[in-house]
Amino acid sequence: MSKKRRLIVVASTLLCVLPALASGPSFRPDLTISTTSLNGWHTFGQASWRAEGGEIVGTPKQGGGGWLVLDHSYQDINFYTEYRCADGCVTGVLLRAQQLPGGGMKGVYVSLSDPGLEAYAVTIDAQGKILERDKLRRGGGLVRVAPPPPPNPPAQKSGGARAQNSTVNLPLQPSDTSLRPNEWNSAEIFFDANIVRAFLNNGHENGAVGDEGYGPIALYIGGSGSVHFKGMALGDLGLKVREKEVVSNDFSKQRLSDFYYSWGSAAADFNHDGVLDVVSGPYIYYGPDYLKSREIFLAQSSNPTTEFATDSTMEFAADFTGDGWPDVITVMFGGGPGVQLYVNPKGEGRRWDKYTVVSGVQSEIAVLRDVDGDGKPELVYSGDGYVRYAKPDPANPAGPWIVHNISEKGYGAGHGIGVGDINGDGRMDIVDPYGWWEQPAPGVSQESWTYHPAAFARYGRGMMGGSVMAVYDVNGDGLNDVVTSLNAHGWGLAWFEQKRDAQGKISFVQHTVMDDFSTKNAGGVTFSELHGSTFADVDGDGVPDFIVGKRYFSHLDTNIDPDPRGSPVLYWYQTVRNPKAPGGGELVPHLIDNHSGVGSDVLAVDLNKDGAMDIVTTTRFGTFIYWGNPGPHTNAQTKLRQ
């Protein structure tokens, strides 16, 4: 089959490009700043300020510039605003403003007129004029506190949006997050410890290293044009709020471990006693009470605020060697060890032999499913730019596994993957954020599977794609739909309704279940970082439900992700077939717990064979079993301030 035919109709697919302008702050504000008056502010320097039409407007005086200074001081702070800068306008935000002898100020200034939101250490005289303006060195990323600069620092690069690194025509493209002259823009700024992080139009982080300090924020207008501000909100990063613990009456909580070893877990009867056990990170927890455990590899916990678990992003169990005993594989993405196979020693009380069987893993999400119908599961993932599945070589299961590329290069994604029968032909297809790949009929030889473009994700802060993508019939029309989080490090949960035209061509309609704080969401539930998910029949009605939660500190103790300190919740979304709902179906949220969250996936299995689904989640807070209580699972939604 030709490359042109395999790609089908990519060019005719509607690109999913969302507006770059954010719809509000990504944090719960302590203060929403009124734009109907200037109460709580004072002016300084050569500019006039007024509240007008729901906006705060600053106009520079001829030859000068001036400030609108908040009366309240902060140290660590979140700040959000939407702003519009006229021709000739020079504007920005001063953070940790401190008074100087003689009536001036100093602080950290973020230039909102700069496409990169560059940050500077500034000194301001008594007339409001910026006397000194020293650009701060770059800093940020996956640290809370920036270390001292190296003796020979590399040259700094300018900020701004990063180009999409792909040579194929993808149905999902990043939004334009660049500065929009004379139009509304959004800016979100976090200043915590010595790092100031700024996000323009929900784009990539621009980080810089500033000095410790304490003081108010101040808005600046200079140049020759006016600036308009609206939608301003503040949050005190120094004040931490932890919600009272709530566990659903439909589940009983058991903590297996207090430590952070992994983001994945699996279940199997590892010791052949007829009872399912749980493996999470380096430990097997033995049923039926799960109070005894044994290492399969050396246990070394990670610091949940500053480190990632180095051995296991995801974990799966099956008899990979064919000897009748379940083994374990761990999956690490990026520069990690790839896929490690731990071979069951058949009851011997020792750590298990380890073999590297797959390398080149790029995705943080993988699934273990029987793709080819041989009765044995394969590992489905992205690697080296391809969508792939891998399986043991029967002749040498502990050696390198056999890898099958089902896509062309360029379609592999870091987040989001799933397996299911999309077209109803009885064969397993594979989905990721860029669409789905149709498994060919047995005996049909083709270089890669037939690709059908679809946008099953969205961009935010330069990232996109969810976790485990579910394929099942949400609305009961006989066609399998797709349920997925939209951005594992951002916002969004949706189900995509499958549609077919008169010729049988498949398309999808998105039905949003949850977005951000500015939207009306199912059950009034809103949380970010939906990095772990699965699907299973929780309520016993024969229809799968979707299980998902928040991965707390997904990028460590930083402010890279939206609402990073929101409660680490775990929910199951009940699939309700409702003809009156859009698309004929809806996902209704039910809280499981608000003090655990998720890792890279969630395990749903009836561990004790009582007919109720049990949920296992492995997170930075440890490993937990939520024992499903037999009976109907339709408790009233518990509303929390996440």
Side-chain angles (χ1 to χ4, degrees):
M1 181 178 292
S2 70
K3 177 178 178 180
K4 182 176 180 180
R5 290 187 63 191
R6 283 197 305 271
L7 295 181
I8 312 293
V9 287
V10 178
S12 64
T13 301
L14 178 65
L15 295 181
C16 180
V17 182
L18 297 177
L21 180 62
S23 54
S26 71
F27 56 90
R28 297 277 190 178
D30 299 308
L31 175 64
T32 300
I33 299 173
S34 172
T35 53
T36 60
S37 75
L38 298 184
N39 291 338
W41 299 86
H42 63 273
T43 60
F44 173 64
Q46 304 300 308
S48 63
W49 297 88
R50 67 185 187 277
E52 178 181 273
E55 302 169 5
I56 291 179
V57 182
T59 304
K61 295 181 180 179
Q62 187 173 6
W67 306 83
L68 185 65
V69 185
L70 194 68
D71 292 339
H72 187 76
S73 292
Y74 293 89
Q75 185 171 62
D76 299 332
I77 190 174
N78 311 309
F79 176 69
Y80 174 86
T81 187
E82 296 169 23
Y83 67 100
R84 179 165 56 87
C85 209
D87 286 335
C89 154
V90 176
T91 190
V93 180
L94 185 68
L95 307 169
R96 296 179 179 172
Q98 300 173 59
Q99 293 292 325
L100 294 175
M105 295 190 302
K106 70 173 184 177
V108 171
Y109 175 77
V110 177
S111 173
L112 301 182
S113 304
D114 187 290
L117 297 189
E118 298 291 353
Y120 303 85
V122 297
T123 302
I124 303 158
D125 69 13
Q127 286 71 48
K129 182 179 179 181
I130 298 177
L131 296 178
E132 297 179 3
R133 177 181 165 116
D134 297 323
K135 188 175 180 179
L136 298 177
R137 66 181 173 94
R138 288 288 185 188
L142 298 179
V143 294
R144 184 186 179 202
V145 179
N152 298 303
Q156 294 188 5
K157 297 181 180 180
S158 60
R162 303 172 192 175
Q164 176 74 11
N165 184 20
S166 177
T167 59
V168 297
N169 190 3
L170 300 172
L172 186 68
Q173 297 289 341
S175 299
D176 180 6
T177 61
S178 58
L179 184 67
R180 302 170 177 177
N182 297 301
E183 297 181 20
W184 287 102
N185 297 270
S186 71
E188 192 160 50
I189 302 169
F190 300 84
F191 200 172
D192 181 35
N194 69 343
I195 297 179
V196 55
R197 307 175 194 268
F199 301 87
L200 175 65
N201 293 328
N202 201 28
H204 287 277
E205 172 203 19
N206 291 285
V209 182
D211 292 331
E212 289 278 358
Y214 178 73
I217 70 165
L219 308 177
Y220 177 72
I221 181 61
S224 58
S226 296
V227 65
H228 295 243
F229 291 97
K230 67 178 182 179
M232 288 186 289
L234 282 169
D236 185 353
L237 266 175
L239 181 65
K240 308 297 191 292
V241 178
R242 187 166 175 83
E243 304 295 338
K244 181 180 179 181
E245 185 170 4
V246 178
V247 180
S248 166
N249 292 330
D250 289 335
F251 295 88
S252 302
K253 182 177 183 178
Q254 179 181 354
R255 183 190 291 266
L256 301 186
S257 171
D258 300 288
F259 300 101
Y260 170 43
Y261 291 111
S262 173
W263 266 331
S265 54
D269 181 9
F270 293 108
N271 57 359
H272 276 197
D273 66 354
V275 177
L276 285 176
D277 311 304
V278 171
V279 61
S280 178
Y283 285 106
I284 289 177
Y285 301 89
Y286 293 104
D289 57 13
Y290 304 92
L291 299 178
K292 296 179 181 178
S293 61
R294 183 182 293 278
E295 289 180 333
I296 64 170
F297 57 85
L298 192 65
Q300 294 180 305
S301 64
S302 299
N303 185 320
T305 65
T306 61
E307 297 175 332
F308 294 103
T310 57
D311 295 300
S312 174
T313 299
M314 304 188 77
E315 205 155 5
F316 303 97
D319 179 11
F320 298 111
T321 58
D323 62 2
W325 290 74
D327 310 299
V328 171
I329 57 173
T330 62
V331 182
M332 285 294 293
F333 69 97
V339 180
Q340 305 285 324
L341 169 66
Y342 294 88
V343 176
N344 193 325
K346 305 176 185 179
E348 295 179 354
R350 61 175 176 83
R351 286 182 283 274
W352 297 11
D353 295 333
K354 179 178 72 172
Y355 305 88
T356 299
V357 293
V358 175
S359 59
V361 177
Q362 83 182 69
S363 58
E364 296 185 29
I365 306 299
V367 293
L368 189 71
R369 295 288 300 276
D370 181 8
V371 174
D372 56 14
D374 66 351
K376 301 176 183 179
E378 288 81 39
L379 184 71
V380 185
Y381 66 102
S382 291
D384 301 321
Y386 297 92
V387 182
R388 292 172 161 169
Y389 71 88
K391 58 189 305 180
D393 180 350
N396 183 22
W401 283 12
I402 302 169
V403 175
H404 298 268
N405 294 330
I406 66 103
S407 79
E408 295 186 351
K409 190 168 186 177
Y411 290 96
H415 299 90
I417 203 158
V419 175
D421 184 5
I422 295 289
N423 58 1
D425 63 1
R427 297 186 292 273
M428 291 293 102
D429 307 306
I430 294 176
V431 297
D432 88 348
Y434 299 126
W436 64 283
W437 285 263
E438 178 183 348
Q439 182 172 172
V444 175
S445 177
Q446 59 186 66
E447 187 178 338
S448 58
W449 294 6
T450 300
Y451 169 57
H452 302 267
F456 292 130
R458 73 171 178 196
Y459 274 90
R461 297 190 179 178
M463 293 174 280
M464 67 87 203
S467 179
V468 174
M469 303 171 70
V471 178
Y472 66 90
D473 185 2
V474 172
N475 56 8
D477 65 356
L479 304 176
N480 276 340
D481 310 299
V482 175
V483 185
T484 181
S485 56
L486 301 177
N487 191 321
H489 293 289
W491 304 104
L493 171 64
W495 71 279
F496 292 82
E497 178 190 4
Q498 184 179 154
K499 294 283 192 179
R500 297 194 185 184
D501 63 16
Q503 289 73 42
K505 181 181 176 182
I506 294 174
S507 61
F508 291 89
V509 176
Q510 178 176 332
H511 299 286
T512 300
V513 179
M514 179 175 63
D515 205 321
D516 59 22
F517 292 135
S518 70
T519 60
K520 183 179 180 180
N521 302 322
V525 173
T526 307
F527 59 93
S528 63
E529 297 181 275
L530 287 72
H531 206 298
S533 61
T534 193
F535 59 109
D537 183 7
V538 177
D539 56 6
D541 65 353
V543 180
D545 307 294
F546 195 69
I547 305 163
V548 67
K550 179 185 181 71
R551 193 167 89 174
Y552 195 80
F553 280 10
S554 191
H555 279 139
L556 310 179
D557 185 7
T558 66
N559 294 289
I560 294 176
D561 302 312
D563 194 32
R565 289 186 176 272
S567 293
V569 294
L570 177 64
Y571 276 88
W572 70 280
Y573 277 77
Q574 181 184 10
T575 303
V576 178
R577 290 170 173 173
N578 177 6
K580 297 182 180 180
E586 56 184 329
L587 298 179
V588 179
H590 299 273
L591 178 72
I592 299 174
D593 179 60
N594 70 335
H595 270 221
S596 64
V598 295
S600 289
D601 64 355
V602 183
L603 174 65
V605 60
D606 184 1
L607 288 171
N608 56 4
K609 308 299 182 182
D610 65 352
M613 191 63 63
D614 307 308
I615 311 298
V616 182
T617 184
T618 300
T619 79
R620 291 189 180 276
F621 300 102
T623 300
F624 307 86
I625 299 176
Y626 292 92
W627 295 100
N629 299 326
H633 286 58
T634 55
N635 61 303
Q637 173 59 41
T638 302
K639 294 183 179 180
L640 296 175
R641 178 188 177 273
Q642 282 100 24

